[in-house]
Amino acid sequence: MFLEKYDVIVVGAGHAGCEAAAAAANLGCKTLLVTMSLQNIAQMSCNPAMGGIAKGQIVREIDAIGGYSGIVSDKTAIQFKMLNKSKGPAMWSPRVQSDRMRFSEEWRLMLEQTPNLDFYQEMASGVIVENNKIVGIKTALGLSIYGKSVVLTNGTFLNGLIHIGDKQFGGGRAGESASFGITEELVKIGFEAGRMKTGTPPRVDGRSLDYSKMSVEGGDINPSKFSYSDITSPLTVQRDCHMTYTSPLVHNLLREGFERSPMFNGRIKSLGPRYCPSIEDKINRFADKDRHQLFVEPEGWNTVEVYVNGFSTSLPEDVQFKALRSVAGFENVKFFRAGYAIEYDYFPPTQLKHTLETKLVDGLYFAGQINGTTGYEEAASQGLIAGINAALKVKEQEPFILKRDEAYIGVLIDDLITKGTEEPYRMFTSRAEYRTLLRQDNADFRLTPKSFEIGLASEARMRRMEEKFSKSGAMVDFVKETSVTIAEANPVLRAKETSEVTQSDKMFKIFSRPQIDMQDMMQFDKIREYVSTHELDQEILEQTEIQVKYSGYIEKERNNAEKLHRLEDIHIPENFDYDKLKSLSYEAKEKLKKIRPVTISQASRISGVSPNDISVLLVFMGR
């Protein structure tokens, strides 16, 4: 049936698998996407939304590299919000509420229009390895499909086990069977495997809710979008979300079911996501809180199905139902389906290289929840990097690796392979030490040239980025070089209750004041004329403002990043014998032998490796 060999085989068509398949195919590799259900490509298994704190930055990075997540999110959005606007731009994070059904449909249509990409619906049940090199996969029907590289993106399907109260049954997600065979084969080869847990809330009938008892959560008045390309446009109409709260009564009703909860009675032994806990976990951990927020999120433009964000649970259905009916606005709620928890296999990511290729098997890549992460965005970014590197390996080209000061994706992958994770890993802005450099507004500046160089980002994207870079840079130069008089400046400064000037001053100095924004600057005739003459859009004006107001912080972080690069440039030989360094601590030797860091910089980030151990390595390396 499959007579020819594929360059790249991608197993799983969730967010990681879709990005991996698209990237490999767009790089010119003959690619096969294998999934258990072609009807559920890029399924939003949990919340119907993309982006959020730090996650929004990742989606913009995916888009800047040439992935599809940003475009699909824009095309299927029902609401857009820029979170954290009250803070500095390093914290601004775009988020869209999505139409769940259209999101999956749009992904499938985009993939079907991607050259070099084939599809096959069946369960992958194993891998074919010869001489520590991947050569293909096996399916449940007994087929062998051969390929030069394989990307595993199995999500929650590997030996998936669903829990609802005292009931448990196999499944990858509600209504879909689990996948068996791959874990067992990989463990036989020598991989270490573990178990993790995640959960999801009930879905309810929006017609049964009383929205008058909830507060309205609308989108931005002037919404933006994810994709840097001009093939998508900001929303002109948006759907509202709503917010309500739990109460002491709701908490007491939920506590009545704790003895039947798989989380508390010991049936679930694996760890769930710390930063997205179940409602029972929140009540248990934050016993002093008498209420918790619930976000009531529509699942699309036309469907009545509603996602109850904040009520993730694995309690028995009757307990879920009784408690939710005591929430304001939910008195007559009807369930579409109950919430549940799911346990699944993962492989500690310290077994991977920065390319997401496994250390044990040449040409085999892992991406997404198989690496212990949680979230669509984290999965999609790993899929993109794994797909790119699987293709580049086949083409015998240099790997595509992003450093910590280049992208949140670089932070994510470095954290995973250097530190590992024992609970589902979620990205936050606080994980990035260079977050002033890694803003959502400049992902195209940072990453499009790198992607264009390997042939993934299109020429149109590159030219668009160059134009934006040039125009924003020129406007920064303009405000540095152009002065305003006392008569021009002081009325604007007086209105913003900031100290007036006593002589003419450069616009840059006026603009740098925290009280002054672009809207204030547009009161100056010279600025208005410049913007009009050069036809500058809102994106360029925003970029200019950030470059002016945060130039000192940006420069400081850039200098710190350059210091880090000095350690990044000191490479450690692949088979380095740490045992011969007697001055290394025992713990450092064990960790270094397990992780096998590529550079001194990576070694310094390993838990258990002290500054003294790094000094020993530097001395040995002649530094």
Side-chain angles (χ1 to χ4, degrees):
M1 185 174 177
F2 291 96
L3 298 176
E4 51 190 317
K5 194 183 219 182
Y6 283 92
D7 294 318
V8 180
I9 299 171
V10 179
V11 177
H15 300 263
C18 288
E19 286 288 7
N26 282 325
L27 283 169
C29 287
K30 187 166 178 55
T31 305
L32 177 69
L33 180 59
V34 180
T35 174
M36 291 165 68
S37 172
L38 283 167
Q39 276 61 53
N40 294 322
I41 280 178
Q43 177 88 310
M44 288 182 139
S45 309
C46 201
N47 61 319
M50 286 291 282
I53 307 300
K55 293 166 172 279
Q57 283 89 327
I58 289 176
V59 177
R60 294 217 94 188
E61 289 178 352
I62 291 169
D63 184 76
I65 294 169
Y68 288 177
S69 289
I71 293 169
V72 174
S73 297
D74 287 345
K75 286 186 172 182
T76 60
I78 62 174
Q79 187 193 91
F80 181 94
K81 262 189 179 177
M82 186 67 77
L83 307 181
N84 280 343
K85 278 292 278 188
S86 61
K87 300 179 181 176
M91 306 297 284
W92 298 354
S93 302
R95 181 184 189 269
V96 295
Q97 197 70 29
S98 302
D99 186 311
R100 180 194 301 275
M101 289 184 285
R102 288 194 59 219
F103 186 92
S104 182
E105 178 190 37
E106 186 63 36
W107 251 114
R108 176 162 174 169
L109 293 175
M110 285 191 72
L111 289 174
E112 286 182 356
Q113 292 160 28
T114 301
N116 306 313
L117 181 56
D118 291 346
F119 303 85
Y120 185 58
Q121 178 174 296
E122 214 211 309
M123 182 195 295
S125 59
V127 292
I128 307 171
V129 177
E130 294 175 3
N131 301 319
N132 297 323
K133 181 173 174 57
I134 197 78
V135 294
I137 64 165
K138 293 178 287 190
T139 74
L141 289 177
L143 293 177
S144 294
I145 309 174
Y146 293 94
K148 298 173 185 173
S149 62
V150 170
V151 183
L152 295 183
T153 69
N154 303 77
T156 58
F157 282 78
L158 292 179
N159 294 318
L161 186 64
I162 292 173
H163 298 266
I164 303 178
D166 40 23
K167 305 182 184 94
Q168 60 183 49
F169 48 92
R173 57 183 164 223
E176 296 181 62
S177 63
S179 169
F180 305 101
I182 288 179
T183 298
E184 294 74 14
E185 281 213 356
L186 292 175
V187 169
K188 274 184 196 172
I189 291 169
F191 284 96
E192 176 192 349
R195 294 284 277 176
M196 276 191 179
K197 179 213 105 165
T198 190
T200 193
R203 310 303 197 273
V204 303
D205 189 335
R207 296 169 298 183
S208 66
L209 304 181
D210 184 353
Y211 291 105
S212 68
K213 296 182 179 179
M214 310 177 201
S215 61
V216 175
E217 296 288 315
D220 289 349
I221 294 170
N222 296 306
S224 184
K225 64 191 186 87
F226 272 121
S227 182
Y228 291 101
S229 71
D230 55 7
I231 63 173
T232 64
S233 304
L235 288 167
T236 53
V237 181
Q238 302 186 67
R239 272 206 74 174
D240 287 335
C241 297
H242 291 78
M243 186 168 70
T244 184
Y245 294 89
T246 60
S247 65
L249 170 61
V250 174
H251 296 183
N252 288 334
L253 289 170
L254 289 167
R255 283 191 187 97
E256 288 176 14
F258 276 12
E259 63 184 30
R260 295 165 63 199
S261 165
M263 195 180 85
F264 292 124
N265 63 20
R267 273 208 314 281
I268 292 179
K269 296 182 171 60
S270 47
L271 290 173
R274 178 192 301 261
Y275 303 103
C276 189
S278 64
I279 188 67
E280 55 265 41
D281 197 18
K282 282 192 273 194
I283 293 168
N284 191 49
R285 277 166 53 189
F286 308 109
D288 56 319
K289 304 275 187 194
D290 59 6
R291 68 177 193 169
H292 294 285
Q293 290 178 332
L294 297 180
F295 291 96
V296 184
E297 300 176 342
E299 298 243 331
W301 284 113
N302 302 312
T303 180
V304 297
E305 189 172 357
V306 167
Y307 178 88
V308 190
N309 194 339
F311 206 86
S312 180
T313 182
S314 58
L315 287 166
E317 310 97 305
D318 58 318
V319 176
Q320 296 182 35
F321 185 68
K322 190 176 177 183
L324 207 48
R325 279 214 156 185
S326 298
V327 172
F330 280 72
E331 293 83 358
N332 298 305
V333 70
K334 293 179 181 178
F335 270 34
F336 272 16
R337 63 177 165 90
Y340 62 88
I342 181 167
E343 284 187 290
Y344 55 93
D345 294 339
Y346 85 105
F347 291 82
T350 51
Q351 300 171 98
L352 303 174
K353 303 173 184 176
H354 274 97
T355 57
L356 296 181
E357 184 181 22
T358 64
K359 295 173 183 174
L360 272 178
V361 177
D362 192 49
L364 177 63
Y365 296 77
F366 292 170
Q369 284 174 289
I370 193 172
N371 290 337
T373 60
T374 180
Y376 309 143
E377 304 82 0
E378 290 88 342
S381 67
Q382 293 170 70
L384 179 65
I385 298 300
I388 288 171
N389 282 308
L392 293 177
K393 188 178 182 78
V394 168
K395 295 165 83 172
E396 298 182 351
Q397 294 177 7
E398 287 297 305
F400 186 80
I401 295 170
L402 298 173
K403 299 189 178 77
R404 294 183 72 89
D405 65 315
E406 292 176 330
Y408 270 91
I409 298 172
V411 175
L412 166 70
I413 292 173
D414 186 66
D415 275 357
L416 289 174
I417 72 161
T418 301
K419 300 172 184 174
T421 186
E422 293 177 353
E423 60 186 44
Y425 177 104
R426 178 181 176 178
M427 179 52 75
F428 287 100
T429 49
S430 58
R431 294 192 191 271
E433 59 270 47
Y434 303 112
R435 53 187 172 273
T436 306
L437 299 179
L438 308 183
R439 306 181 310 277
Q440 57 84 31
D441 61 272
N442 70 350
D444 54 345
F445 293 174
R446 292 183 275 119
L447 301 174
T448 300
K450 291 178 179 295
S451 181
F452 180 69
E453 196 176 322
I454 62 168
L456 186 55
S458 67
E459 179 139 359
R461 272 184 179 267
M462 187 65 181
R463 299 297 159 250
R464 186 178 171 84
M465 182 282 297
E466 288 174 337
E467 182 184 13
K468 176 184 162 187
F469 186 81
S470 172
K471 284 186 173 181
S472 58
M475 190 173 177
V476 171
D477 291 339
F478 175 77
V479 296
K480 281 181 177 177
E481 295 159 4
T482 309
S483 298
V484 283
T485 64
I486 297 172
E488 289 173 315
N490 282 343
V492 175
L493 299 175
R494 201 178 302 127
K496 297 309 286 270
E497 298 181 348
T498 181
S499 57
E500 298 178 27
V501 295
T502 56
Q503 60 185 33
S504 295
D505 216 338
K506 296 293 183 190
M507 284 187 175
F508 187 90
K509 204 167 175 185
I510 302 289
F511 204 177
S512 297
R513 296 191 185 195
Q515 302 88 347
I516 304 299
D517 58 25
M518 181 59 82
Q519 202 171 339
D520 300 316
M521 296 298 291
M522 289 295 282
Q523 294 180 55
F524 300 134
D525 292 338
K526 292 170 188 170
I527 286 274
R528 280 203 309 276
E529 185 182 339
Y530 184 90
V531 170
S532 174
T533 302
H534 293 83
E535 300 178 341
L536 304 185
D537 60 23
Q538 191 57 42
E539 198 174 12
I540 290 167
L541 296 182
E542 181 183 275
Q543 185 60 225
T544 303
E545 182 166 1
I546 291 167
Q547 292 293 338
V548 170
K549 296 184 102 48
Y550 296 91
S551 57
Y553 298 103
I554 292 168
E555 192 57 36
K556 186 178 178 183
E557 275 202 4
R558 203 168 274 131
N559 291 336
N560 288 340
E562 282 170 10
K563 290 175 187 172
L564 171 80
H565 285 171
R566 292 170 202 162
L567 292 181
E568 288 283 6
D569 289 339
I570 306 173
H571 288 265
I572 302 172
E574 192 173 343
N575 297 311
F576 185 77
D577 183 5
Y578 292 101
D579 288 323
K580 67 184 178 186
L581 299 186
K582 305 301 180 192
S583 302
L584 279 181
S585 67
Y586 177 78
E587 184 181 6
K589 282 181 187 175
E590 293 301 301
K591 292 284 180 71
L592 290 164
K593 284 192 283 187
K594 181 181 180 183
I595 306 295
R596 289 279 160 197
V598 177
T599 66
I600 294 289
S601 179
Q602 187 192 352
S604 71
R605 295 189 292 273
I606 298 173
S607 174
V609 177
S610 70
N612 185 62
D613 295 318
I614 296 300
S615 296
V616 171
L617 282 170
L618 285 170
V619 168
F620 186 83
M621 301 287 174
R623 302 299 177 98

